[in-house]
Amino acid sequence: MADLKAFAEQLVGLTVKEVNELAKILKEEYGIEPAAAAVAVAAGLRCCSCSRG
């Protein structure tokens, strides 16, 4: 079974560019189109954590 906590930590650590690349991969290779809001929130979490740290 995957270590979900480690996976979550990797997701939170993604840059905006990496989040966009991940969304593209999910859509093109797996037919999964992430909601734009979810991608924006994930990117925003990364930005917010940087500015508050």
Side-chain angles (χ1 to χ4, degrees):
M1 180 174 207
D3 183 353
L4 295 179
K5 182 170 174 67
F7 179 64
E9 290 173 0
Q10 288 178 329
L11 285 176
V12 171
L14 293 176
T15 64
V16 173
K17 181 179 177 182
E18 291 169 331
V19 169
N20 287 328
E21 290 175 13
L22 175 59
K24 182 178 176 181
I25 291 168
L26 290 173
K27 182 177 180 181
E28 292 178 357
E29 294 187 21
Y30 300 98
I32 301 169
E33 190 164 352
V39 173
V41 168
L45 288 175
R46 176 69 180 148
C47 292
C48 290
S49 65
C50 290
S51 64
R52 292 181 185 171

